Amino acid sequence: MNLGVIVFPGSNCDHDCVHVLGEVLRQSVRQVWHKETSLDGLDAVILPGGFSYGDYLRTGAIARFSPVMGAVKQFASVGGMVLGICNGFQILLEAGLLPGAMLRNRSLTFICTDVYVGVENAATPFTGRCEPGQVLKLPIAHADGNYYTDDVSLSQMKANAQVVFRYCTADGAVTPEANPNGSLDNIGGITNADGNVLGMMPHPERCAEEVLGNEDGRLIFLSMIDALKKAKLQPKTVTA
Amino acid sequence: MKAKIHVTLKQGILDPQGKSIEQALATLGYTAVSNVRVGKYLELDLNETEKEKAEAQLKAMCDKLLANPIIEEYRYELDAER
């Protein structure tokens, strides 16, 4: 598969993503500078974590106007698979590719720790390798991960099974104590209505190989590769 | 023209910074204080002589970039003197 990792000024998890996809999972992967305007030849793109544009104004608020974001929107609109991790998730929210917005963590602190998330929807192209309800242990590292959306949008997302990850205990119980940042409904990851764009606050690229002592994150990337292979076997029905 | 823009979280959206400051004020003895909201203040010069045009531009800037309409609201003052 040909995968792209977008690099904004201030991205700092792009190399981790490239390492996991290229070295660990042996896929063809390239970095895409934010000034590029074409994603031609790529099967999926990842918006990595970091502090794009220094998080000035609001997280993701300035990155969404980067030249490459026009191409990302176009790519997503024709069904292309887009994964936003942490700051990448924040950028997708600001760009309107995902519903809602991020508020400062309830604790007002930057939180860097392992959390548990339950897989609410294992039928997305990003979670096909997971069992429904499976609990994943993944690291988070953010100050603005307190997800918010209005009631109407939340009920639409629930009806469409767009809530993919919810913070929970190691046993899978979704409790207020297991919510690290105050997110509405313990939400840690969501897709768009079509299911081809996923935003998640935890970092799967930081736990995708044995040497790191945790491989849960690998499931996300393997699911994506599975979904891309499957799509390649089917005749294309979408045209731009 | 000089524009002064205030961006705050919408009423009803929890403002953890505001809450924290409110508690600090209460600790100092200012127990009559409630509903503290923290926001952003921006100033900018706009090379525009017509107030209507300036307002239209300011609104567009706020809607597109300066505020996130999902969580924030804004108000502005335009000073035609400058």
Side-chain angles (χ1 to χ4, degrees):
Chain A
M1 293 301 144
N2 290 308
L3 307 164
V5 178
I6 296 179
V7 185
F8 298 95
S11 294
N12 64 10
C13 301
D14 46 316
H15 285 279
D16 306 51
C17 290
V18 167
H19 168 74
V20 169
L21 294 168
E23 300 295 322
V24 181
L25 301 176
R26 296 285 165 196
Q27 303 296 311
S28 154
V29 56
R30 75 171 179 97
Q31 282 162 297
V32 181
W33 183 233
H34 73 117
K35 289 202 169 158
E36 293 185 35
T37 51
S38 165
L39 299 172
D40 286 353
L42 294 174
D43 299 310
V45 292
I46 296 177
L47 281 67
F51 299 85
S52 59
Y53 295 89
D55 278 351
Y56 300 144
L57 195 63
R58 293 179 308 278
T59 54
I62 298 177
R64 70 166 277 213
F65 293 107
S66 277
V68 76
M69 287 306 292
V72 171
K73 278 190 177 176
Q74 170 67 17
F75 187 74
S77 73
V78 295
M81 216 188 286
V82 179
L83 168 63
I85 300 166
C86 197
N87 188 226
F89 184 9
Q90 294 162 339
I91 296 167
L92 292 175
L93 290 169
E94 284 283 342
L97 285 169
L98 290 171
M102 286 299 176
L103 297 166
R104 184 63 46 88
N105 290 346
R106 184 180 43 189
S107 63
L108 293 174
T109 55
F110 186 97
I111 306 171
C112 183
T113 187
D114 281 336
V115 295
Y116 295 98
V117 293
V119 179
E120 297 274 314
N121 182 353
T124 78
F126 306 91
T127 50
R129 288 264 184 139
C130 305
E131 297 295 325
Q134 185 174 348
V135 175
L136 306 178
K137 182 174 146 185
L138 303 169
I140 56 166
H142 61 249
D144 298 81
N146 182 350
Y147 180 78
Y148 172 83
T149 195
D150 62 43
D151 292 342
V152 177
S153 147
L154 180 64
S155 49
Q156 279 172 354
M157 285 202 296
K158 283 181 174 173
N160 285 333
Q162 287 172 249
V163 178
V164 179
F165 300 118
R166 291 175 80 196
Y167 300 112
C168 63
T169 65
D171 306 327
V174 177
T175 64
E177 293 74 30
N179 187 342
N181 49 29
S183 280
L184 181 72
D185 234 33
N186 284 42
I187 287 173
I190 57 169
T191 63
N192 61 344
D194 290 336
N196 61 309
V197 179
L198 171 74
M200 61 188 294
M201 286 316 288
H203 287 269
E205 80 283 9
R206 294 188 186 177
C207 53
E209 54 191 312
E210 200 181 355
V211 69
L212 296 177
N214 178 5
E215 294 183 275
D216 283 4
R218 204 181 168 105
L219 293 171
I220 308 300
F221 301 110
L222 289 175
S223 299
M224 288 177 73
I225 295 164
D226 284 354
L228 290 171
K229 280 183 184 161
K230 217 171 169 184
K232 288 225 161 169
L233 293 176
Q234 284 165 1
K236 276 220 164 158
T237 50
V238 189
T239 46
Chain B
M1 274 188 219
K2 193 163 208 76
K4 298 173 177 178
I5 305 154
H6 300 263
V7 180
T8 49
L9 286 172
K10 282 180 181 170
Q11 286 299 329
I13 289 186
L14 179 72
D15 180 351
Q17 283 191 86
K19 272 272 172 269
S20 183
I21 292 166
E22 193 173 309
Q23 281 164 12
L25 288 172
T27 312
L28 290 173
Y30 297 105
T31 49
V33 173
S34 64
N35 210 11
V36 177
R37 312 290 288 175
V38 179
K40 292 180 192 123
Y41 171 70
L42 301 100
E43 268 185 11
L44 57 90
D45 289 333
L46 200 53
N47 189 11
E48 180 62 68
T49 47
E50 286 178 49
K51 194 171 179 192
E52 274 184 16
K53 281 188 181 169
E55 281 206 25
Q57 285 189 54
L58 266 183
K59 276 185 186 161
M61 287 181 223
C62 287
D63 290 335
K64 281 186 198 160
L65 175 65
L66 303 181
N68 180 335
I70 298 170
I71 48 173
E72 294 171 324
E73 55 196 7
Y74 61 86
R75 63 190 165 79
Y76 54 81
E77 299 145 40
L78 258 180
D79 184 359
E81 297 289 303
R82 306 221 2 205

